[in-house]
Amino acid sequence: MTDTTTPLITLHPDAQAQLFTDARTANTFTDEPVTDEHLRAIYDLAKYPPTAANTQPLRVLYIRPGDARDRLLTHMADGNRTKTAAAPVVAVLAADTDFHDHIPRIFPIRPELRDGLAADPAARDTMARFNATLQIAYWLLAVRAAGLAAGPMGGFDAAGIDREFFTDSSWRSLLVVNIGKPGPDAWFPRLPRLDYDDIVRHA
Amino acid sequence: MTDTTTPLITLHPDAQAQLFTDARTANTFTDEPVTDEHLRAIYDLAKYPPTAANTQPLRVLYIRPGDARDRLLTHMADGNRTKTAAAPVVAVLAADTDFHDHIPRIFPIRPELRDGLAADPAARDTMARFNATLQIAYWLLAVRAAGLAAGPMGGFDAAGIDREFFTDSSWRSLLVVNIGKPGPDAWFPRLPRLDYDDIVRHA
């Protein structure tokens, strides 16, 4: 018998819908701008969930319509160029491979981790990409928490974007995401999800 | 002038607290079991946010106390072994490098993507790890949505865990996470987060 007084999911159903069950990837956007204040509010949520040793390697380049956005478009896959051209703001989400420079400030319980990582660029690259990718997902749900829709796009030339925007920088692009208010016909039909028994084993 | 009738974050403040601002990584757990029904409810939220081409490469091995948990402990870093030994359930979160076999069912708009990926194991490995890592973050927030606490641990021998549990399997371990109800003194003090201006640029 199920105890109906204690739901398994304690998050409010409206919040479940806003972040998970009803939220959708947007393919069109209105021309309503996204303010800097709104972008700051997104980060003020996205910054909290965990990263390894609190390293927080995610970096974000926000691009609004103009010359930089035109240059970005040349590195997008054909199928994504029109969507990106129509979004009020586009985020290039990147991993900072020099994230270790912040360690004495953000992981003061073990500041010497900075020096170990300074000597190991390969370990830094792996750690930066893994933890920045976790943070990208936190950020995507924070965009939804801010009442906006996100349109993540994997189809782009990462090396080209890094040359265009991150020359002489330790940032490496991982994902490009359009954000804004959803426009007309913003959603495709929901695609099927794998079943629990497809993805879970017990030991 | 700020319009106080339209908050920048539309997610309910209680939900912001539960998933982002008040939620913490747990280092101790009570011995209250986590039911299979609860694990299924977590996946029923975590499965929805986006992955590239809807590929959903995340796989989860749940391990409860017993022989398998004892074998897992031998692959954990010293600092994590006691925590893992005390958790009611431990999740080994993995990427399935053969995720492409599901594509005709989960991405029916472009089933031929399966064959392209079948011929390119290196691209599959990159795609599996990136998208499973996004899904790990969705899953961590879904654990919080389920009223439980998570304790992610990067300190483990991934090759050892893969040999121990994923021999003759296409699963590759990415993160080990304790879950359960938080126990006594479960939290360390909150570590500092980077400022918006540390991580954001505009172009």
Side-chain angles (χ1 to χ4, degrees), chain B residues 77-109:
Chain B
D78 290 343
N80 290 328
R81 201 167 292 132
T82 309
K83 290 187 279 194
T84 301
V89 62
V90 185
V92 177
L93 297 157
D96 185 353
T97 58
D98 282 352
F99 68 89
H100 61 298
D101 288 337
H102 292 289
I103 285 177
R105 173 158 66 106
I106 58 183
F107 203 57
I109 57 179

Side-chain angles (χ1 to χ4, degrees), chain A residues 8 10-11 18 20 38 40 43 47-48 54 56 60 62 105 145-146 192-194 197-199 201 203, chain B residues 8 10-11 18 20 38 40 43 47-48 54 56 60 62 105 145-146 192-194 197-199 201 203:
Chain A
L8 292 167
T10 60
L11 187 73
Q18 184 171 348
F20 294 98
H38 219 154
R40 285 180 180 267
Y43 181 63
K47 69 184 179 185
Y48 283 113
N54 197 39
Q56 308 168 65
V60 187
Y62 284 115
R105 173 158 65 108
R193 293 304 188 264
L194 292 172
D197 297 322
D198 290 324
I199 73 119
R201 296 180 197 167
Chain B
L8 292 166
T10 61
L11 187 71
Q18 183 172 349
F20 295 97
H38 218 153
R40 284 179 182 269
Y43 181 63
K47 71 185 178 185
Y48 283 113
N54 196 39
Q56 308 167 64
V60 187
Y62 284 115
R105 173 158 66 106
R193 294 302 189 265
L194 293 172
D197 296 322
D198 291 323
I199 74 121
R201 295 180 199 168

Side-chain angles (χ1 to χ4, degrees), chain A residues 43 51-60 95-115 117-118 124 127-128 135 170-171, chain B residues 191-201:
Chain A
Y43 181 63
T51 53
N54 197 39
T55 44
Q56 308 168 65
L58 178 68
R59 303 293 181 265
V60 187
D96 185 353
T97 58
D98 283 349
F99 68 90
H100 60 299
D101 287 337
H102 293 289
I103 285 178
R105 173 158 65 108
I106 58 183
F107 203 56
I109 57 178
R110 208 181 139 206
E112 71 277 12
L113 180 62
R114 174 191 185 160
D115 305 321
L117 287 165
R124 282 212 315 275
M127 197 170 168
Q135 290 186 283
S170 51
W171 295 21
Chain B
L191 289 165
R193 294 302 189 265
L194 293 172
D195 296 327
Y196 182 82
D197 296 322
D198 291 323
I199 74 121
V200 166
R201 295 180 199 168

Side-chain angles (χ1 to χ4, degrees), chain B residues 13-82:
Chain B
D14 291 346
Q16 294 180 45
Q18 183 172 349
L19 299 190
F20 295 97
T21 54
D22 282 0
R24 301 297 316 283
T25 286
N27 293 293
T28 71
F29 296 90
T30 69
D31 54 9
E32 185 179 335
V34 177
T35 64
D36 284 359
E37 197 185 6
H38 218 153
L39 298 178
R40 284 179 182 269
I42 291 166
Y43 181 63
D44 278 341
L45 284 183
K47 71 185 178 185
Y48 283 113
T51 53
N54 196 39
T55 42
Q56 308 167 64
L58 178 68
R59 304 293 181 263
V60 187
L61 175 68
Y62 284 115
I63 306 181
R64 292 202 170 86
D67 167 67
R69 216 269 306 276
D70 295 343
R71 288 187 286 127
L72 175 67
L73 292 180
T74 67
H75 303 287
M76 300 305 295
D78 290 343
N80 290 328
R81 201 167 292 132
T82 309

